Amino acid sequence: QVQLVESGGGVVQPGRSLTLSCAASGFTFNIYGMHWVRQAPGKGLEWVAIIWYDGSNKYYADSVKGRFTISRDNSKNMLYLQMNSLRAEDTAVYYCARKDAAPGALGIWGQGTMVIVSP
Amino acid sequence: EIVLTQSPGTLSLSPGERVTLSCRASQSVSNNYLAWYQQKPGQAPRLLIYGASSRAAGTPDRFSGSGSGTDFTLTISRLEPEDLAVYYCQQFGSSPPFTFGPGTKVDIK
C-alpha cells in the first residue's frame, strides 16, 4: 500500500544538526513532488519545504530558509530534510507528505517523527 | 505570502448538527487550489477536500467544500461523533510558501 515512513527524529542541542529521512513505498516516487510539514507541540501545521519530483526546484518557509535543506534520492525512494543550526522553536513533529494525484493538495502523509531541540 | 484565517477557533456542537467552517485568504488563491484537512488527536492530517470543492477518496459525503477567490467554506452536513478533530485549510497558490490556516477545533457536546 501507499506509505510514507519518517525516521531520524530525537533530542538535539541548540545549534546542532539533524537529518530526517522519509521512506516511500507503494507508488512511483519519482513522479511526485514531496513536502515537509511540521507541528509544534499543541500548535497548528506549518509548511516547511517542497522539492520537485526530479529535485530540480526546492522552496522553503522563511522560518527555515538558509538552515534546512530538502533533498531526495529517487533511486532509493527516499526524501530527506537536513536541519542545521537548530533552535528551540524547531521542536515539532515533522511529517513528510506527498502531493496528491489531484493538484493543490497533500494526499499522503507519514506518521511523523518528533524532533526536540533542548540543551 | 498568502495568509489564511480560519473561524471560529473552536466550536462545540451536538451530533446531527450542521457545521460550517470558514477559511479566508489574504489574497486570491490561484485556481482555487484550497485544500481542507482533518486531524484527529494523535494522528497525522488527512486530506478531505481539494480544489476547494472536490472530495478526496474516502471522504464521507457529509463533508463538502465551497468557495472561490478568498473565501472558502467546509461544511459538515450532519455532525458525527467521529468528526471530533481539528480542521485545517491550506492554499496552493501560484508559488510557495503553501501556507496553512491556524485550524478550527470541532468538539462534540
Side-chain angles (χ1 to χ4, degrees), chain B residues 8-88:
Chain B
T10 304
L11 72 167
S12 182
L13 296 168
S14 300
E17 289 195 271
R18 183 182 181 87
V19 180
T20 302
L21 309 180
S22 172
C23 176
R24 181 163 291 179
S26 60
Q27 56 188 278
S28 184
V29 177
S30 302
N31 301 302
N32 292 327
Y33 282 169
L34 191 286
W36 289 95
Y37 302 89
Q38 176 191 64
Q39 187 178 32
K40 295 183 177 181
Q43 297 184 16
R46 168 197 168 198
L47 176 66
L48 289 178
I49 301 287
Y50 64 90
S53 60
S54 298
R55 283 188 207 91
T59 300
D61 60 8
R62 65 180 180 274
F63 290 90
S64 63
S66 63
S68 64
T70 61
D71 288 294
F72 300 90
T73 300
L74 176 69
T75 300
I76 309 174
S77 59
R78 298 172 310 278
L79 191 65
E80 299 283 344
E82 61 263 31
D83 298 335
L84 165 71
V86 180
Y87 293 84
Y88 296 94

Side-chain angles (χ1 to χ4, degrees), chain A residues 32-45:
Chain A
Y32 287 97
M34 296 295 296
H35 300 243
W36 286 98
V37 175
R38 69 183 181 182
Q39 186 169 37
K43 303 298 184 182
L45 301 172

Side-chain angles (χ1 to χ4, degrees), chain A:
Chain A
Q1 73 280 21
V2 175
Q3 196 172 10
L4 298 170
V5 179
E6 302 93 337
S7 60
V11 180
V12 60
Q13 294 178 328
R16 303 299 290 264
S17 299
L18 196 65
T19 298
L20 305 182
S21 301
C22 171
S25 59
F27 64 97
T28 304
F29 182 68
N30 62 12
I31 66 171
Y32 287 97
M34 296 295 296
H35 300 243
W36 286 98
V37 175
R38 69 183 181 182
Q39 186 169 37
K43 303 298 184 182
L45 301 172
E46 180 186 13
W47 179 84
V48 173
I50 180 178
I51 185 168
W52 256 230
Y53 69 99
D54 58 356
S56 60
N57 286 289
K58 307 172 185 180
Y59 296 94
Y60 301 90
D62 285 346
S63 58
V64 307
K65 199 174 297 181
R67 300 188 300 123
F68 289 12
T69 301
I70 188 172
S71 62
R72 65 190 296 160
D73 185 337
N74 285 345
S75 68
K76 297 181 179 179
N77 291 349
M78 293 293 295
L79 175 72
Y80 304 100
L81 185 68
Q82 181 176 351
M83 306 183 293
N84 297 330
S85 303
L86 282 163
R87 306 167 180 167
E89 54 264 36
D90 295 320
T91 294
V93 174
Y94 285 75
Y95 296 100
C96 64
R98 191 200 82 181
K99 176 191 172 303
D100 193 65
L106 300 177
I108 304 296
W109 295 67
Q111 85 289 348
T113 187
M114 183 73 200
V115 173
I116 298 172
V117 183
S118 177

